[in-house]
Amino acid sequence: MKKDYYEILGIDKGADAAAIKKAYRKKAIEFHPDKNPGDKEAEEKFKEAAEAYEVLSDADKKARYDQYGHQAFEGGFGGGGGGHMNMDDIFSQFGDIFGSAFGGGGFGGFGGGGQRRVKGTSLRIKVKLTLEDIANGVEKKIKVKRKVQADGVTYKTCPTCNGTGQVMRVANTVFGRMQTASPCTSCQGSGQTMDHKPAGADHEGMVVSDETVSIKIPAGVADGMQLKVSGKGNEAPGKNSIAGDLLVVIEELEHDTLQREGDNLHYDLYISFAEAALGGNKEIDSVTGRVRIKLDEGIQSGKILRLKGKGLPSINSYGNGDLLVHINVWTPKKLNKEQKEFFENMIEDENFKPTPSKNDKSFFEKVREMFS
């Protein structure tokens, strides 16, 4: 079982952004590869801390983690809680947090003496899902336009920074001469510039390519949830660059007859006076197909039938929600002469007079019970 992200960083859920960043920096420095050469256990803890920080430092991801736990990022999606990050991801995304703790550039000897690996930009797409898709989980094949390095492009050492990815500046201050390092603007910190540009490539040696990406979406996702496919965003120029991510935003399609409330589903069933009085069987929609329900004789309008486990699966693997069937007795708006006479005769009939018992809950009691 994966460790709790708050436990990994040694903070509580009420920690603010500054406290989260401070806790991560402390862990990152403690378990940094330069400080623990060859120590696999320290390397794993270094990755765990980076993974925890990636989620908790992002307000949206943190909210989803607080609600759904690790399951919010599972289903084949790297990073973001879906699996261990690699060193390239960590240093490209969070290298600035280490400050001058390691060799002035933040990365020490790991990754080329301060040279950073440039990461491509992320892409965001929407995927539309039906309730049936959400109930069962689904694999979608999506065509994505992404930037990739052109065939035949070559790169050379940046002449401005001599491949270090940084330029050093010395400034005179009231405290004396101070030296600062900043990313090289000629190569954006990659330490490389384009040497040969193939035909059709842009000024960075990139071309736009169509690629079909297979996305496994776990059961129980919700509208607005964002999942990440690592390495399927835009590539970046340079021999040692890494591709960005593909961010998949879930869009839940409205169902014809079912309404969602968390993991529970609601269905409005309309029946006639005769069906309410006589009872019987009815078939209704569910996310797993049609299901048959039994109506007792004398069933009342407003009664809620709960079908256990016929709702949506929990993304936290806590089982399935329920299907709540709301009974609505339909009152005819027009009656013919014989029907009218029948109901007029029934007005004074004792069997037709309302005699609610304590078991017949009011509307407000039913609402309170649903949300308690």
Side-chain angles (χ1 to χ4, degrees):
M1 182 178 292
K2 294 186 70 171
K3 292 182 182 177
D4 179 78
Y5 286 150
Y6 292 100
E7 182 182 339
I8 289 173
L9 296 184
I11 55 177
D12 57 40
K13 284 192 174 183
D16 59 16
I20 293 171
K21 184 173 182 178
K22 181 179 179 182
Y24 169 57
R25 187 177 188 275
K26 181 179 178 181
K27 292 290 184 182
I29 291 175
E30 180 182 355
F31 298 114
H32 195 284
D34 284 356
K35 191 174 181 180
N36 304 273
D39 189 336
K40 290 296 183 183
E41 184 178 352
E43 182 178 319
E44 284 304 308
K45 289 182 177 180
F46 182 73
K47 292 177 181 178
E48 283 181 350
E51 184 179 317
Y53 179 71
E54 185 201 16
V55 172
L56 299 184
S57 63
D58 183 295
D60 177 58
K61 291 180 183 178
K62 183 177 182 297
R64 285 189 282 124
Y65 177 74
D66 289 344
Q67 184 175 3
Y68 298 111
H70 292 296
Q71 295 278 345
F73 307 98
E74 290 187 355
F77 297 92
H84 281 303
M85 301 178 70
N86 59 46
M87 290 297 190
D88 292 333
D89 285 335
I90 296 169
F91 287 123
S92 65
Q93 293 183 52
F94 311 131
D96 61 310
I97 287 178
F98 306 132
S100 58
F102 297 93
F107 307 155
F110 194 96
Q115 174 182 320
R116 69 185 182 95
R117 297 189 69 178
V118 176
K119 184 172 183 178
T121 56
S122 294
L123 297 173
R124 181 179 277 102
I125 61 168
K126 278 189 177 182
V127 173
K128 296 181 179 181
L129 301 179
T130 64
L131 279 181
E132 288 78 10
D133 291 334
I134 292 170
N136 301 304
V138 67
E139 183 172 354
K140 293 279 189 179
K141 293 186 183 295
I142 306 295
K143 184 173 284 188
V144 178
K145 287 185 179 293
R146 55 191 296 254
K147 283 187 175 184
V148 298
Q149 291 185 15
D151 290 336
V153 66
T154 58
Y155 298 92
K156 63 182 180 181
T157 300
C158 175
T160 303
C161 64
N162 293 319
T164 64
Q166 296 181 341
V167 290
M168 307 300 293
R169 292 183 174 86
V170 178
N172 293 317
T173 71
V174 292
F175 301 105
R177 291 170 62 84
M178 297 191 68
Q179 180 174 282
T180 59
S182 60
C184 175
T185 56
S186 297
C187 62
Q188 286 73 52
S190 68
Q192 303 166 65
T193 56
M194 187 166 55
D195 184 36
H196 170 69
K197 185 179 86 166
D202 65 13
H203 67 286
E204 293 182 318
M206 313 294 289
V207 294
V208 176
S209 172
D210 287 333
E211 181 175 340
T212 299
V213 179
S214 182
I215 305 170
K216 290 182 179 179
I217 300 175
V221 294
D223 187 71
M225 185 175 286
Q226 183 171 282
L227 307 170
K228 184 174 79 172
V229 185
S230 293
K232 290 301 181 180
N234 290 322
E235 291 184 0
K239 289 185 292 186
N240 297 316
S241 63
I242 53 178
D245 304 316
L246 178 63
L247 305 177
V248 182
V249 181
I250 302 301
E251 182 178 347
E252 186 179 307
L253 297 174
E254 186 176 339
H255 196 276
D256 289 339
T257 57
L258 298 171
Q259 292 185 349
R260 181 177 185 176
E261 181 202 4
D263 296 333
N264 293 329
L265 295 173
H266 295 266
Y267 182 94
D268 275 314
L269 177 61
Y270 289 87
I271 61 175
S272 67
F273 274 158
E275 289 173 314
L278 299 174
N281 295 311
K282 299 285 284 186
E283 279 196 350
I284 64 170
D285 291 329
S286 79
V287 287
T288 55
R290 302 281 287 178
V291 294
R292 182 180 289 269
I293 62 171
K294 183 176 186 255
L295 302 177
D296 294 332
E297 292 182 9
I299 193 168
Q300 300 296 311
S301 187
K303 185 174 180 62
I304 300 173
L305 304 179
R306 184 182 292 267
L307 305 185
K308 288 281 189 182
K310 291 295 184 181
L312 295 172
S314 166
I315 200 166
N316 282 328
S317 301
Y318 294 149
N320 282 37
D322 303 326
L323 174 56
L324 303 171
V325 183
H326 300 259
I327 302 300
N328 302 278
V329 178
W330 183 261
T331 304
K333 297 180 180 180
K334 289 184 179 181
L335 300 173
N336 61 32
K337 183 179 179 182
E338 289 80 8
Q339 292 168 338
K340 203 167 189 179
E341 287 177 355
F342 172 80
F343 283 109
E344 285 173 348
N345 292 332
M346 293 303 107
I347 290 177
E348 298 302 324
D349 192 302
E350 290 298 322
N351 197 39
F352 274 75
K353 288 185 177 180
T355 55
S357 67
K358 290 184 179 179
N359 293 327
D360 295 315
K361 296 182 176 66
S362 70
F363 170 78
F364 295 105
E365 288 174 319
K366 291 174 184 175
V367 172
R368 186 168 61 246
E369 187 178 78
M370 282 177 57
F371 291 98
S372 61

